[in-house]
Amino acid sequence: MLSGSPKPIGLFGGTFNPPHRGHLLAAREALRRCRLDRVIFVPAGDPPHKPAGALAPARDRWRMVQLAVRNLRRCSVSPVELQRRGPSFTVDTVRAMQRRFPRRELEFIVGADTVSEIPTWHRWRDLVRAVRFIVVARPGYRLKPLRGAAARFDLVHVRGLRLSSTDLRARLRRGRAVGRALAPGVHAYIRREGLYQA
Ligand code: ATP
Ligand code: MG
């Protein structure tokens, strides 16, 4: 980055079903260590032609991320994947953000478990040419290098939290305690809306 040029913007995609403290820690550490201007969370939209199943509606997930980041400096939520029809592809989200922030470098934040999935994403080679990746360590997952692409990675080694939305959904369904894993506003929202019930 040239001195004097604006700081990069971090994009943090995911289903956030629901958002938990592991996500918030990842965003905070990426912000701090990679000197980002801000982090924009991008919750994925509703998958087309699929019954909802364990995935809460996109609007609820978007609202929960808003509640989760409410008190976090330099963090916000974008509805871009909710507004788009059809499946939401990361490459399209990045293009949309490039149009919105033409002078900014964009960095895409992922947890270590997600790196090996990138080659399954739509037009992933275009994606890795367009952004740098910030990879946040995730306990229980080893980082596997991405082969066959000149992808650019920044690794952020944090002592991450052993939390996953899958585990939290299971706890909520069984009525078990979730401790401090969820922001209080998110937990209250889940209870009020009756999300993740059996
Ligand atoms: P699920 O169990 O439903 O897959 P999740 O906890 O993995 O949920 P996602 O919404 O799938 O959450 O993740 C969004 C992004 O956040 C992904 O890049 C994922 O790797 C990253 N991430 C999720 N939890 C953590 C964590 N505890 N530490 C670091 N990164 C995380
Ligand atoms: Mg996941």
Side-chain angles (χ1 to χ4, degrees), residues 12 21-36 39 41 72-73 75 109 136 156 158:
F12 193 14
R21 276 212 309 142
H23 297 128
L24 304 184
L25 180 77
R28 205 183 66 204
E29 291 301 314
L31 250 176
R32 199 162 65 88
R33 304 208 188 191
C34 301
R35 298 175 192 287
L36 302 177
V39 171
F41 286 63
L72 291 189
R73 286 174 58 234
C75 289
I109 302 165
V136 181
V156 175
V158 290

Side-chain angles (χ1 to χ4, degrees), residues 34 107-108 110-111 114-116 118-119 124 128 131-136 143-147 149-156:
C34 301
E107 307 218 5
F108 198 87
V110 290
T114 300
V115 174
S116 59
I118 293 173
W124 71 281
V128 302
V131 286
R132 247 185 121 75
F133 284 88
I134 295 174
V135 183
V136 181
L143 178 62
K144 297 189 204 80
L146 197 59
R147 293 184 196 286
R152 296 161 297 161
F153 290 104
D154 276 336
L155 296 182
V156 175

Side-chain angles (χ1 to χ4, degrees), residues 15 113-114 117 138 166:
T15 45
D113 61 303
T114 300
E117 288 174 19
R138 184 169 187 181
T166 301

Side-chain angles (χ1 to χ4, degrees), residues 17-92:
N17 182 41
H20 53 67
R21 276 212 309 142
H23 297 128
L24 304 184
L25 180 77
R28 205 183 66 204
E29 291 301 314
L31 250 176
R32 199 162 65 88
R33 304 208 188 191
C34 301
R35 298 175 192 287
L36 302 177
D37 178 57
R38 63 188 112 154
V39 171
I40 305 177
F41 286 63
V42 188
D46 287 319
H49 320 301
K50 264 194 203 158
L55 185 63
R59 259 201 94 63
D60 288 321
R61 290 181 287 106
W62 182 73
R63 287 212 181 102
M64 287 190 283
V65 179
Q66 274 197 317
L67 292 167
V69 305
R70 196 163 52 178
N71 298 316
L72 291 189
R73 286 174 58 234
R74 298 172 176 273
C75 289
S76 62
V77 194
S78 167
V80 64
E81 294 198 356
L82 276 64
Q83 290 162 347
R84 205 183 297 136
R85 281 154 192 264
S88 50
F89 296 125
T90 300
V91 70
D92 295 333

